[in-house]
Amino acid sequence: MRSGMGKVAVGSAVVCAATACAVAALVVRHRMRSSSNWARAEAILRELEEKCSTPIDKLRQVADAMTVEMHAGLASEGGSKLKMLISYVDNLPSGDEKGLFYALDLGGTNFRVLRVQLGGKEGRVIKQEAVEVSIPPYLMVGSSHELFDFIAAELAKFVASEGEDYHLSTGRQRELGFTFSFPVRQTSIASGSLIKWTKGFSIDDMVGEDVVGELTKAMERQGLDMRVTALVNDTIGTLAGGRYYDNDVVIAVILGTGTNAAYVERAQAIPKWHGLLPKSGEMVINMEWGNFRSSHLSLTEYDQALDDDSLNPGEQIFEKIISGMYLGDIVRRVIWKMAEEAALFGETVPPKLREQFTIRTPVMSAMHHDTSPDLKVVGTKLKEIFGISSTSLKTRRMVVKICDIIARRGARLAAAGMVGILKKQGRDTPPSAGEKQRRVVAMDGGLYEHYTIFSKCLESTLSEMLGDVSESVVITHANDGSGIGAALLAASHSQYLGVEEES
Ligand code: ADP
Ligand code: MG
């Protein structure tokens, strides 16, 4: 008994010791694993940082490449990734525009309708009103008929809700400026066919069709008597709206869901339209710069994967690294890799990390701007979206660093693109005597407006690239300038031009 007990005692002691050893070994192994995991995560971060780096000489190469592509796109049809489309806008608003006009802005997740009562030089904008409607996602990938019926119905409702203080001259048809922010080949100021969809839209029966024709038919179906007198996109609208308020506006840039730029070009610098354009005068060019690409862009495996998974692989590469639709998803892809290869969130990878667009850019921006000492916002977002119950501060810091790398790369490349345009205009050097001292860029879009770190970085990069010249370059934030711009262009292309406005 005793010896037995002793044996038992000894045995259990041995078992205990063995368990203790095993536990210790487990702890050690776990520590080793987690420290090697962390080293792996840091290596992934370092590689990202390196691949995304945008030193000044690289940015200059990007700017130069932009200028070169602009020349090529203007020289011949299909001469460049940049379509450099003629907008048929050769006279920007003067301030004389008068009367009641409408605008419809389609090109992102929402569309807006707007009416404005213009009072000419003295009255300016007497009154304006706008309504924003979100587009049900199924309409973005359905048929053109359905999409345009939905829009025309909203437009009809908007017109029906008009107050007494808006005044349409008797006997006149309502006139609309249509801001349609997808690549369109224009055939006149008020007609053009869709080249392709971008930004998550995909409606096959629309490609190649006349955009204004589709809207006009839908308005007729809704019993709405309205005529489209200007077809523009958000960049052209922003340029026009910007010019109405500031005579020195020469470039417009959109940084929202997508990205694009437009600028004022000398008509004789557009070889592919020689003979069709007046030799003197100016023409607004819609660059469609979202489709820019260059070997100098700092592309990574994440960008490649994002492009492969997109609705338009191989296209809109610039847009895919700088615009609001995509920035958050690049971040998600990096975090996902760290979760898979470095167990960033422990042994299991949260399934939602594998799903596209689970980190939207506003979420990325909220995490990036988190100033709380323990990065509470980052923790909350990771919990809300991915169900990750707790994260270490170290991990949350890692997430912020990823946001920082991706946002800064985008902002710096966008700035380089803008320098490319200034170069093309000959405005990247100090203004000579007799030349305008200010060069104003009308900027719009939710990304620029709300993502402060992004916009600050863009501005400081411009200064870095332009040196002293940056003092004469001004960015104005044209908040929804595109809506008013389209209405102004509808006015300056009114069918009643020259007809005396009754008072
Ligand atoms: P759109 O480009 O669709 O016409 P906006 O110009 O309003 O519309 O831009 C909306 C886009 O701006 C969103 O898709 C998003 O990517 C970006 N955005 C909106 N809010 C924020 C935010 N707080 N932080 C960062 N990006 C934002
Ligand atoms: Mg917009």
Side-chain angles (χ1 to χ4, degrees):
M1 277 288 279
R2 276 179 81 186
S3 65
M5 268 183 76
K7 260 185 200 161
V8 169
V10 170
S12 75
V14 169
V15 169
C16 274
T19 312
C21 270
V23 167
L26 217 68
V27 168
V28 169
R29 209 178 317 140
H30 183 73
R31 278 206 192 118
M32 272 169 51
R33 194 166 352 124
S34 65
S35 81
S36 77
N37 274 337
W38 189 251
R40 177 76 193 111
E42 285 192 312
I44 293 172
L45 184 78
R46 266 198 311 279
E47 194 189 346
L48 177 75
E49 208 161 14
E50 202 178 294
K51 289 254 164 66
C52 290
S53 81
T54 48
I56 192 81
D57 26 308
K58 199 175 204 177
L59 292 181
R60 290 198 199 291
Q61 285 172 316
V62 171
D64 288 344
M66 184 66 82
T67 313
V68 167
E69 292 297 321
M70 289 172 78
H71 276 283
L74 289 174
S76 63
E77 202 65 52
S80 164
K81 288 265 170 206
L82 294 184
K83 293 214 156 57
M84 304 300 285
L85 300 165
I86 301 283
S87 68
Y88 287 89
V89 173
D90 53 4
N91 56 330
L92 285 161
S94 61
D96 292 329
E97 297 77 8
K98 235 178 179 174
L100 171 59
F101 293 92
Y102 299 82
L104 165 65
D105 181 334
L106 172 69
T109 39
N110 296 312
F111 74 91
R112 292 165 59 88
V113 288
L114 170 146
R115 65 179 142 245
V116 59
Q117 190 80 46
L118 298 166
K121 273 261 155 37
E122 280 89 59
R124 304 291 289 184
V125 173
I126 296 169
K127 204 171 161 48
Q128 78 178 82
E129 240 169 356
V131 169
E132 189 164 301
V133 185
S134 66
I135 301 170
Y138 75 93
L139 287 180
M140 296 163 66
V141 291
S143 73
S144 59
H145 198 101
E146 277 181 298
L147 176 69
F148 280 92
D149 267 352
F150 179 78
I151 291 166
E154 291 295 331
L155 194 55
K157 259 195 263 174
F158 182 68
V159 168
S161 75
E162 201 152 282
E164 295 279 309
D165 32 7
Y166 288 92
H167 177 66
L168 188 72
S169 300
T170 18
R172 288 198 176 184
Q173 197 180 12
R174 292 177 204 279
E175 293 179 313
L176 172 87
F178 183 17
T179 306
F180 181 76
S181 303
F182 301 95
V184 164
R185 181 152 288 108
Q186 302 247 166
T187 41
S188 74
I189 181 68
S191 62
S193 56
L194 174 67
I195 297 173
K196 63 175 183 181
W197 290 106
T198 55
K199 297 179 281 188
F201 278 72
S202 182
I203 300 172
D204 291 343
D205 66 349
M206 247 314 268
V207 177
E209 295 299 318
D210 177 25
V211 176
V212 172
E214 295 293 320
L215 177 61
T216 305
K217 279 186 272 172
M219 291 193 299
E220 278 164 12
R221 289 195 294 268
Q222 298 297 326
L224 178 61
D225 182 25
M226 192 182 266
R227 181 190 184 111
V228 179
T229 59
L231 172 66
V232 294
N233 72 8
D234 47 3
T235 57
I236 311 290
T238 300
L239 190 61
R243 179 65 74 89
Y244 184 70
Y245 293 108
D246 185 334
N247 223 359
D248 295 336
V249 169
V250 286
I251 296 175
V253 174
I254 301 292
L255 286 161
T257 304
T259 184
N260 193 9
Y263 74 106
V264 181
E265 182 61 277
R266 290 169 305 122
Q268 71 257 43
I270 314 175
K272 72 180 173 194
W273 290 90
H274 266 168
L276 287 171
L277 294 177
K279 291 271 180 288
S280 61
E282 297 180 320
M283 174 57 70
V284 175
I285 299 293
N286 163 23
M287 292 177 61
E288 289 299 334
W289 88 352
N291 200 40
F292 174 68
R293 73 183 303 168
S294 148
S295 58
H296 304 299
L297 295 178
S298 323
L299 296 177
T300 65
E301 62 186 273
Y302 312 103
D303 303 301
Q304 186 60 55
L306 182 149
D307 182 41
D308 289 344
D309 294 346
S310 71
L311 288 173
N312 51 355
E315 290 172 20
Q316 300 292 104
I317 299 300
F318 198 46
E319 177 161 275
K320 285 172 182 159
I321 54 181
I322 71 176
S323 84
M325 173 149 180
Y326 304 101
L327 289 179
D329 203 54
I330 307 172
V331 168
R332 175 192 65 86
R333 286 167 192 275
V334 180
I335 298 177
W336 176 23
K337 173 151 168 155
M338 287 189 184
E340 294 276 359
E341 294 186 13
L344 194 65
F345 306 112
E347 293 306 313
T348 52
V349 175
K352 280 223 141 96
L353 260 182
R354 301 191 171 102
E355 260 173 55
Q356 272 192 89
F357 301 117
T358 44
I359 299 181
R360 294 271 168 189
T361 303
V363 167
M364 166 190 180
S365 162
M367 298 195 293
H368 197 177
H369 288 101
D370 188 355
T371 50
S372 63
D374 55 345
L375 298 176
K376 206 181 268 120
V377 178
V378 179
T380 309
K381 294 292 179 196
L382 292 175
K383 189 179 221 160
E384 278 172 7
I385 300 171
F386 301 108
I388 301 162
S389 54
S390 77
T391 46
S392 67
L393 182 57
K394 208 162 69 160
T395 299
R396 297 196 290 275
R397 283 208 185 107
M398 179 65 92
V399 169
V400 174
K401 276 188 210 151
I402 297 168
C403 295
D404 196 62
I405 293 169
I406 301 304
R408 283 184 199 283
R409 176 185 65 164
R412 288 174 68 79
L413 290 173
M418 290 166 65
V419 171
I421 304 175
L422 287 164
K423 263 183 126 88
K424 176 70 187 67
Q425 292 179 318
R427 292 190 168 105
D428 63 321
T429 50
S432 52
E435 217 183 313
K436 279 198 168 159
Q437 294 301 302
R438 292 167 78 243
R439 299 96 193 252
V440 182
V441 181
M443 177 77 80
D444 198 13
L447 179 69
Y448 184 83
E449 187 181 352
H450 301 296
Y451 202 147
T452 314
I453 298 176
F454 184 97
S455 38
K456 288 268 170 299
C457 176
L458 185 151
E459 283 157 26
S460 64
T461 308
L462 270 184
S463 304
E464 193 183 333
M465 292 187 75
L466 293 170
D468 290 347
V469 179
S470 69
E471 277 157 39
S472 52
V473 175
V474 179
I475 298 181
T476 56
H477 178 218
N479 200 352
D480 193 39
S482 125
I484 187 95
L488 287 160
L489 291 169
S492 54
H493 295 88
S494 163
Q495 60 191 311
Y496 305 110
L497 273 189
V499 179
E500 215 23 60
E501 169 86 7
E502 55 152 309
S503 48

